């Protein structure tokens, strides 16, 4: 009898394996960090082999911790950092270059050229995306250009491209399955999100051979089985979704108009728009949320590059606090921000600004500024960036939002959640289980193998824990000054 589902959560800085039981509860977790490579300013790479070995370790570790065997696992679900690009040799199973991470900006210049050549509209219309180094296509192009002989090998069908989900699937199945799901495919800038196929015109534009692309399947689907040698028995792999889409599913935002925000390293706001792919007029992304039982759900997304990382930066780079949690008590030590604003444009600004040339900016400092004011400004920065995306989402969708479901590390911060409610006027809802990213992939895999019968059974698992409602505080000045501060942070880097 198979009692559990395992989710593989392959994140940007660490990988986890999480064991879920039939009640949708987390039974056990194993987590391990892996190395980040920064070979040049703006470049971020991972070792593909380390991604695989780290993930394999966590799966074996979680089984051992709980004293269960592979036979007890009904299915594996995969959720992953998106856009990160890997290319490997089909015969040897070895990557031909390191994984180029979603944060990597090396192809920003090439992307500017694409914009200047007038390709933005076509790309947005087909893929729902805005031209940016963030997505996979320009990264694949870079590998094919820079690794000797790569283009020819790719044309001959010798090379495979995949995002992290595809890479892990390939490794788990010992090279038997080369596939991805629609949500990950929709982040490559090569996938037509309307007819659900790799787009020939875009492949021509980026000069990427079709032969290297994975098969695209539903998010809840049987992909294959793990090779027996890895965990002692074959386990079905039955669900895949990009981490932000998976969190939307885990939060049970399954109806049009429902929105979640994940406060991790970045903040990722995603709104379910149902069967409608809404083209944003305000620089949000249109993306595929998932495909389940043949039905595709679309979403609008606002990706904010620096969220919880602002707190991490205060902790690790300038030793302002000892722990991330300490930021809350420090921020509570003052009444307000004392006029201080902190725009975290460390890697440029994402949605809705998309300014590759902004930097971090702290403004409004006076002789009276105290530590607490800076802590408060940092938390307000998370909330105000998210507010900008929410305002934009309401405009694009025409939907009057009422509620925002939250998860991710920084959602544990009650003060931040209260500020979020005050600046958006929304009811902020934090669920009992904040492991929604992993839970989403577990649900997708569990549905495919009948571990859970249907959506109603899953819906009953999600439960709210805490609500934060607007306090009625006047936030107009805060919003006004934030807008002024953001404008000053923009276009700072001169190339
Ligand atoms: N209590 C807190 N208040 C504010 N930020 C926090 C708090 N706890 C964690 N964080 C921030 O949240 C991030 C970790 O969240 P997590 O969801 O684990 O991120 P990720 O999955 O992106 O690695 C870190 O950047 C950390 O600084
Ligand atoms: O690994 P995370 O949680 O920082 O998420 C990364 C996103 O998928 C990037 O688009």
């Amino acid at each position: 009898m198979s009692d559990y589902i395992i989710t593989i959560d392959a994140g940007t800085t660490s990988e986890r394996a999480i064991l879920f039981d039939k009640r949708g509860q987390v039974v056990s977790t194993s987590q391990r960090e892996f190395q980040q490579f920064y070979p040049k300013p703006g470049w971020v790479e991972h070792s593909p082999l380390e991604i695989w070995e780290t993930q394999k370790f966590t799966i074996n570790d979680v089984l051992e911790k709980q004293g269960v065997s592979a036979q007890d696992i009904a299915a594996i679900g995969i959720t992953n950092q998106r856009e990160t690009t890997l290319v490997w040799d089909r015969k040897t199973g070895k990557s031909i270059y390191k994984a180029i991470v979603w944060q990597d900006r090396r192809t920003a210049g090439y992307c500017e050229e694409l914009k200047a050549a007038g390709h933005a509209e076509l790309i947005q219309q087909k893929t729902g995306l805005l031209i940016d180094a963030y997505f996979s296509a320009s990264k694949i192009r870079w590998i094919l250009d820079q690794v000797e002989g790569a283009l020819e090998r790719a044309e001959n069908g010798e090379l495979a491209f995949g995002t992290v989900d595809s890479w892990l699937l390939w490794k788990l199945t010992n090279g038997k399955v080369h596939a991805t799901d629609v949500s990950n495919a929709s982040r490559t800038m090569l996938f037509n999100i309307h007819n659900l196929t790799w787009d020939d015109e875009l492949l021509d534009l980026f000069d990427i051979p079709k032969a290297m692309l994975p098969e695209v399947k539903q998010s809840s689907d049987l992909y294959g089985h793990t090779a027996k040698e890895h965990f002692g028995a074959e386990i079905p792999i039955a669900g895949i979704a990009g981490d932000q889409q998976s969190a939307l599913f885990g939060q049970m935002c399954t109806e049009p108009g429902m929105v979640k925000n994940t406060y991790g390293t970045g903040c990722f706001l995603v709104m379910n728009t149902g069967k409608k792919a809404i083209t944003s007029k305000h620089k949000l992304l249109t993306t595929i949320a998932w495909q389940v039982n043949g039905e595709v759900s679309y979403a609008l997304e606002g990706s904010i590059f620096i969220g919880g990382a602002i707190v991490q930066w205060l902790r690790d780079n300038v030793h302002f606090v000892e722990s991330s949690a300490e930021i809350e008590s420090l921020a509570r030590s003052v009444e307000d921000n004392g006029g201080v604003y902190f725009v975290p444009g460390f890697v440029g600004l994402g949605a809705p600004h998309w300014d590759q040339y902004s930097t971090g900016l702290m403004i409004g400092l006076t002789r009276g500024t105290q530590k607490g004011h800076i802590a408060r400004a940092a938390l307000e920065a998370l909330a105000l960036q998210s507010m900008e995306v929410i305002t934009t989402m309401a405009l694009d969708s025409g939907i009057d939002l009422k509620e925002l479901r939250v998860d991710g590390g920084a959602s544990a911060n009650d003060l931040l959640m209260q500020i979020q409610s005050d600046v958006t006027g929304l009811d902020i809802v934090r669920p009992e289980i904040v492991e929604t990213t992993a839970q989403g992939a577990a649900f997708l895999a569990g549905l495919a193998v009948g571990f859970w019968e249907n959506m109603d059974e899953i819906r009953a698992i999600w439960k709210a824990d805490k609500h934060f409602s607007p306090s009625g505080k006047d936030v107009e000045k805060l919003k006004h000054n934030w807008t002024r501060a953001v404008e000053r942070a923009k276009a700072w880097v001169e190339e």
Side-chain angles (χ1 to χ4, degrees):
M1 161 84 173
S2 305
D3 294 327
Y4 306 100
I5 300 279
I6 288 185
T7 289
I8 289 176
D9 182 358
T12 309
T13 55
S14 74
E15 294 181 273
R16 300 185 303 158
I18 299 144
L19 206 59
F20 286 92
D21 65 13
K22 195 106 195 217
R23 295 168 305 133
Q25 304 295 308
V26 176
V27 180
S28 187
T29 303
S30 171
Q31 178 164 16
R32 198 176 240 202
E33 292 197 357
F34 57 88
Q35 200 175 346
Q36 308 286 313
F37 298 93
Y38 306 107
K40 290 188 186 176
W43 291 31
V44 190
E45 296 178 352
H46 294 155
S47 152
L49 192 61
E50 195 184 359
I51 289 180
W52 159 237
E53 284 175 348
T54 305
Q55 196 67 75
K56 189 175 163 189
F57 166 84
T58 61
I59 299 170
N60 277 312
D61 189 48
V62 86
L63 291 173
E64 203 173 305
K65 264 189 188 164
Q66 194 57 24
V68 296
S69 74
Q71 275 104 343
D72 300 315
I73 309 302
I76 288 179
I78 302 177
T79 182
N80 55 291
Q81 51 159 324
R82 306 163 304 166
E83 300 97 12
T84 296
T85 298
L86 297 98
V87 177
W88 65 91
D89 185 307
R90 290 185 190 273
K91 246 196 214 127
T92 63
K94 284 196 183 132
S95 56
I96 64 161
Y97 191 79
K98 282 218 170 64
I100 304 184
V101 178
W102 59 276
Q103 296 156 325
D104 191 294
R105 315 297 306 166
R106 79 184 65 184
T107 54
Y110 171 60
C111 290
E112 290 302 334
E113 284 169 26
L114 287 172
K115 279 189 220 166
H119 297 300
E121 204 183 320
L122 175 88
I123 289 180
Q124 188 185 21
Q125 180 241 319
K126 288 187 178 222
T127 68
L129 306 176
L130 305 170
I131 297 178
D132 194 89
Y134 178 28
F135 306 103
S136 314
S138 67
K139 300 180 197 287
I140 306 175
R141 180 71 256 136
W142 190 93
I143 294 177
L144 293 178
D145 279 342
Q146 300 299 321
V147 179
E148 218 189 313
L151 182 58
E152 202 186 334
R153 286 163 72 197
E155 278 165 351
N156 291 340
E158 293 167 37
L159 300 182
F161 151 75
T163 36
V164 170
D165 55 311
S166 294
W167 170 245
L168 289 173
L169 183 63
W170 172 275
K171 286 291 187 191
L172 286 164
T173 60
N174 275 0
K176 276 208 182 115
V177 185
H178 182 212
T180 189
D181 92 300
V182 285
S183 73
N184 275 295
S186 76
R187 313 296 294 189
T188 58
M189 204 171 261
L190 300 172
F191 192 67
N192 187 316
I193 59 170
H194 308 287
N195 63 21
L196 309 183
T197 56
W198 296 117
D199 192 275
D200 289 327
E201 199 178 348
L202 294 177
L203 289 170
D204 272 353
L205 176 66
F206 286 99
D207 195 13
I208 292 172
K210 205 174 198 170
M212 66 192 301
L213 303 179
E215 180 193 353
V216 185
K217 294 176 69 112
Q218 300 195 54
S219 316
S220 180
D221 208 336
L222 186 61
Y223 283 81
H225 291 79
T226 60
K228 196 170 173 201
E229 71 186 68
H230 298 315
F231 314 112
E234 296 187 349
I235 308 172
I237 302 157
I240 297 185
D243 56 7
Q244 303 311 322
Q245 288 94 332
S246 186
L248 189 72
F249 199 70
Q251 285 276 24
M252 283 291 109
C253 291
T254 50
E255 298 300 318
M258 295 180 84
V259 193
K260 70 90 197 175
N261 191 8
T262 301
Y263 301 77
T265 305
C267 286
F268 292 89
L269 290 111
V270 187
M271 175 199 258
N272 186 326
T273 61
K275 293 195 185 85
K276 217 158 109 196
I278 297 176
T279 303
S280 173
K281 292 196 171 61
H282 304 92
K283 297 191 181 172
L284 296 181
L285 307 174
T286 310
T287 204
I288 294 182
W290 51 72
Q291 187 182 22
V292 177
N293 293 329
E295 260 193 31
V296 176
S297 293
Y298 291 92
L300 271 176
E301 172 174 322
S303 326
I304 295 167
F305 298 145
I306 300 289
I310 193 172
V311 179
Q312 208 170 21
W313 181 86
L314 284 170
R315 186 192 65 192
D316 300 341
N317 292 45
V318 294
H319 306 285
F320 184 83
V321 283
E322 276 185 16
S323 70
S324 296
E326 197 188 319
I327 199 89
E328 182 168 353
S329 50
L330 204 50
R332 282 189 191 278
S333 69
V334 288
E335 279 287 302
D336 55 33
N337 65 15
V340 179
Y341 293 82
F342 189 173
V343 183
F346 299 144
V347 293
L349 289 169
H353 306 288
W354 297 98
D355 178 18
Q356 309 199 55
Y357 303 108
S358 57
T359 59
L361 171 87
M362 211 182 285
I363 199 163
L365 303 175
T366 65
R367 289 285 296 264
T369 300
Q370 292 165 23
K371 254 183 126 175
H373 296 131
I374 293 173
R376 201 158 179 116
L379 293 184
E380 287 174 354
L382 267 86
L384 288 160
Q385 290 187 103
S386 301
M387 173 206 73
E388 290 177 324
V389 172
I390 284 166
T391 309
T392 312
M393 267 177 177
L395 283 175
D396 270 338
S397 66
I399 293 171
D400 186 18
L401 307 180
K402 299 261 174 325
E403 173 188 289
L404 176 68
R405 296 189 173 183
V406 299
D407 53 72
S411 72
N413 188 316
D414 284 1
L415 177 61
L416 169 62
M417 295 300 105
Q418 187 55 53
I419 298 171
Q420 190 68 86
S421 179
D422 287 345
V423 297
T424 56
L426 297 178
D427 189 22
I428 307 295
V429 186
R430 192 167 61 200
E432 269 178 7
I433 300 175
V434 285
E435 294 284 6
T436 50
T437 301
Q439 216 176 20
F443 289 159
L444 289 167
L447 275 176
V449 295
F451 186 77
W452 289 295
E453 288 295 316
N454 51 40
M455 289 299 292
D456 287 341
E457 203 180 329
I458 288 175
R459 269 193 204 100
I461 293 171
W462 187 93
K463 289 200 175 61
D465 176 41
K466 203 161 172 179
H467 289 255
F468 299 84
S469 310
S471 66
K473 210 173 180 172
D474 184 4
V475 288
E476 286 317 305
K477 193 166 146 210
L478 187 68
K479 292 198 216 174
H480 172 69
N481 284 340
W482 169 256
T483 307
R484 293 202 303 139
V486 169
E487 287 312 311
R488 291 187 183 215
K490 282 184 184 172
W492 177 254
V493 178
E494 290 180 332
E495 274 196 327

